[in-house]
Amino acid sequence: MLDNLAWLAAGAVPDFDAHFQAEFEKLVLWRRDERHFLPDPVSEQLFERLMDLTCFAPSVGNSQPWRFVRVDTPMCRDAVIANFIRANAEALADYKGERAALYARLKLAGLQQAPVHLAVFADEKTGQGHRLGCKTMPEMLRYSTVTAVHTLWLAARAYGLGVGWVSILEPDEISRILETPGDWKLVAYLCIGYPCSVENIPELERKGWEHRQAECRAVLRR
Amino acid sequence: MLDNLAWLAAGAVPDFDAHFQAEFEKLVLWRRDERHFLPDPVSEQLFERLMDLTCFAPSVGNSQPWRFVRVDTPMCRDAVIANFIRANAEALADYKGERAALYARLKLAGLQQAPVHLAVFADEKTGQGHRLGCKTMPEMLRYSTVTAVHTLWLAARAYGLGVGWVSILEPDEISRILETPGDWKLVAYLCIGYPCSVENIPELERKGWEHRQAECRAVLRR
C-alpha cells in the first residue's frame, strides 16, 4: 500500500525543492540497466509496493493497458532462457569481426540470476479508456505500457534494486510460453533484483559498444 | 548543464533515503497530464536543463534514438492545431449518445496556450547502438524514445511545469508539417508550460470518462 494515497486524495500540493530536484537528477543519471544480480530475494512487500506505484504511470485515455506476468516456475524460466539463447545466437551471427567479438563479450541478460522475472504486456484490445487518443495512434497503448515499465525501473532503483530490460527474445514465443491472452503484446521482459555491484557508467560504454552522442541531444527548431 | 555529471563520473553511489522515496512516490502519484497552461514562458535555461536530463533516459543498445523538434513558428503551430481539430472531429464521430457528449466536453489539447510545443521522434534507422537488442524487437527504438518522454515529463513536474501528451494527431501529417527526415517516426507531441491550477485527480476521472481499475494491477503467476 502506498503511503501517499491519502495525501493525494486530500488535494495536497507537493512543493518539490532544490534538494529533491538534485536527488531526482541523480536517480535519472545513475539508473543503469542491470545484468548482474545477487541471489538475495526481493521481499513480497517491496514487490507489491513497486507494482502499486507502477500502475500510477500515465496512460492514454486512462486505459491502464499494462498487464503483468511474474515468471517463477523453472519450466517457464528455462523456456524463456532457451529462447534468449537462440535469439542471442542469431543476433550475434549478424555481426562480423571485431564487432562480433565485442558482442560476444557483452552480458546481455541476467535471466539466470535475477530473483524476479516480470513480463509486461500491453492489452491491445482493452475497452478501458474507450480508445481515447488511440484512433490515429493505436501504438499509444504500447507506449503507455512503456511508461509503466519506466516508472517501475526508477522506483526500483530508488529502493536499491536493479532492473534489466531484455529485448533479445521473440515476443510471440514468450507469449506462447506464458500462455497469455491473444490480445496481449509483449512490451518488456524484465530482470529485477539486487545488483552485484554499482556501476556508474553503462556496461555498453565501458566495453566500447556505444557511447553517449552529443548530436542526439540536438533540438531542431521549426 | 546538469549539476551531477561530475558526481556521476566520480563513481559516487547514491543512497536514496526514505524521504526521497516518499517524495518520488508523490511525484509519480501527482504527475498528471496537463491541458491548461498559463501564458508564462519557460526559461531557456530550464528547457535546456530538462533536455539534458531527458537524454539520460535508457535506450536499447545505448542507441539514443530520440530526436526533438521544438515548434515555435505560428505557421507550424497553426498547421498542427488544424490537424488536431480534424483528427479530434473524426474521433468524436466514432462515439454515440452520452459518450459523444462526454467526449465533446473534454479538453484534449493545450496546443493554443502552451508556451512550448515539443515533437519527439524515434530515428528508426539510426546506426547508433548497432541494432543491439533490436533484431527481434525493432520497436525497442520507439520504446526507448518513450522513456525519454517520460523522463522529461517527471523532470518537468519536479520543476513545477506541466506536460500534456497529445496523440489526437496524424503522425505522418505532423512529420510533413515539420519537414523531418523520412526515417523519423513521431512518438509524442508534447505541450509544456506552467499549469493554470493544480489538480490531484486526472481530468478523465473527474469528468467520468474512465476510472482507475484495480484489475489492471493484477499480477499473473507462471
Side-chain angles (χ1 to χ4, degrees):
Chain A
M1 187 66 172
L2 298 172
D3 296 324
N4 289 301
L5 288 175
W7 166 88
L8 185 72
V13 178
D15 179 18
F16 299 114
D17 61 11
H19 178 72
F20 176 77
Q21 290 159 0
E23 291 295 296
F24 178 73
E25 183 177 307
K26 286 182 180 176
L27 179 64
V28 170
L29 294 187
W30 179 78
R31 170 203 38 79
R32 297 289 71 77
D33 183 300
E34 187 59 57
R35 308 280 155 165
H36 304 266
F37 297 97
L38 296 170
D40 310 37
V42 176
S43 75
E44 281 300 304
Q45 189 188 9
L46 178 52
F47 177 75
E48 293 295 325
R49 173 178 285 261
L50 293 174
M51 295 308 302
D52 283 341
L53 200 51
T54 294
C55 294
F56 275 86
S59 65
V60 64
N62 207 7
S63 54
Q64 307 152 66
W66 37 73
R67 302 291 181 265
F68 306 101
V69 181
R70 185 163 163 174
V71 185
D72 290 325
T73 63
M75 190 178 75
C76 285
R77 285 193 173 212
D78 289 350
V80 169
I81 290 168
N83 186 259
F84 167 80
I85 290 170
R86 188 172 71 207
N88 199 42
E90 288 179 9
L92 171 60
D94 285 350
Y95 299 105
K96 303 281 173 256
E98 272 299 300
R99 185 59 57 181
L102 192 48
Y103 187 93
R105 285 198 296 273
L106 297 172
K107 179 157 169 56
L108 296 171
L111 295 165
Q112 298 280 5
Q113 298 80 25
V116 176
H117 284 203
L118 188 72
V120 188
F121 296 80
D123 182 351
E124 304 238 76
K125 293 282 154 55
T126 182
Q128 249 164 243
H130 305 276
R131 315 302 289 179
L132 178 68
C134 293
K135 186 179 169 73
T136 55
M137 296 185 69
E139 63 269 33
M140 286 300 294
L141 292 165
R142 300 192 292 277
Y143 293 173
S144 300
T145 304
V146 173
T147 67
V149 169
H150 191 231
T151 301
L152 173 59
W153 199 341
L154 291 172
R157 268 306 193 192
Y159 281 91
L161 291 170
V163 174
W165 182 336
V166 182
S167 64
I168 306 173
L169 292 167
E170 294 166 303
D172 290 347
E173 191 61 18
I174 301 304
S175 298
R176 193 192 60 74
I177 293 166
L178 302 181
E179 300 181 4
T180 47
D183 294 333
W184 291 17
K185 186 176 173 68
L186 183 74
V187 168
Y189 197 95
L190 305 176
C191 298
I192 305 172
Y194 291 94
C196 286
S197 62
V198 171
E199 292 291 352
N200 292 46
I201 307 300
E203 179 160 340
L204 295 183
E205 293 187 31
R206 283 185 286 117
K207 293 192 175 169
W209 181 266
E210 187 59 274
H211 291 276
R212 188 161 294 282
Q213 303 286 353
E215 306 92 271
C216 299
R217 165 64 182 77
V219 179
L220 297 182
R221 302 275 173 150
R222 290 288 190 268
Chain B
M1 187 66 173
L2 298 172
D3 296 324
N4 289 302
L5 289 175
W7 166 88
L8 185 72
V13 178
D15 180 17
F16 298 113
D17 60 14
H19 178 71
F20 176 77
Q21 291 159 0
E23 290 295 295
F24 178 73
E25 183 177 307
K26 286 183 180 178
L27 178 63
V28 170
L29 293 188
W30 178 79
R31 171 202 40 77
R32 298 290 70 76
D33 183 302
E34 187 59 57
R35 308 280 155 165
H36 305 266
F37 297 97
L38 296 171
D40 309 38
V42 177
S43 75
E44 281 300 304
Q45 190 187 8
L46 178 52
F47 177 75
E48 293 295 325
R49 174 179 285 261
L50 293 174
M51 295 309 302
D52 283 341
L53 200 53
T54 295
C55 294
F56 275 86
S59 64
V60 64
N62 207 6
S63 55
Q64 306 152 66
W66 37 74
R67 302 290 182 265
F68 306 101
V69 181
R70 185 164 163 173
V71 185
D72 291 324
T73 62
M75 190 178 76
C76 285
R77 284 193 174 213
D78 289 350
V80 169
I81 290 168
N83 186 259
F84 167 79
I85 290 169
R86 188 172 72 208
N88 199 42
E90 289 179 8
L92 171 60
D94 285 350
Y95 299 106
K96 305 279 173 255
E98 273 298 299
R99 185 59 57 181
L102 192 48
Y103 187 93
R105 285 198 296 273
L106 297 172
K107 179 157 170 55
L108 296 171
L111 295 164
Q112 297 280 6
Q113 298 80 24
V116 176
H117 284 202
L118 188 71
V120 187
F121 296 80
D123 182 352
E124 303 238 75
K125 292 284 155 56
T126 183
Q128 248 163 243
H130 305 276
R131 316 300 292 178
L132 178 69
C134 293
K135 187 178 169 76
T136 55
M137 296 185 70
E139 62 270 32
M140 285 300 293
L141 292 166
R142 301 192 291 277
Y143 294 173
S144 299
T145 303
V146 174
T147 67
V149 169
H150 190 233
T151 301
L152 172 60
W153 199 341
L154 292 171
R157 268 305 192 195
Y159 281 91
L161 290 168
V163 173
W165 182 335
V166 182
S167 64
I168 306 173
L169 292 168
E170 294 166 304
D172 290 348
E173 191 61 18
I174 301 304
S175 298
R176 194 192 60 74
I177 293 166
L178 302 181
E179 300 180 1
T180 47
D183 294 333
W184 292 16
K185 184 177 174 69
L186 183 75
V187 168
Y189 196 95
L190 305 176
C191 299
I192 305 172
Y194 291 95
C196 286
S197 63
V198 171
E199 293 291 353
N200 292 46
I201 307 300
E203 180 161 338
L204 295 182
E205 293 188 32
R206 282 185 286 119
K207 293 192 175 169
W209 182 266
E210 187 58 274
H211 291 276
R212 188 160 294 283
Q213 303 286 353
E215 307 92 271
C216 299
R217 165 65 182 78
V219 179
L220 297 183
R221 302 274 174 152
R222 291 288 189 269

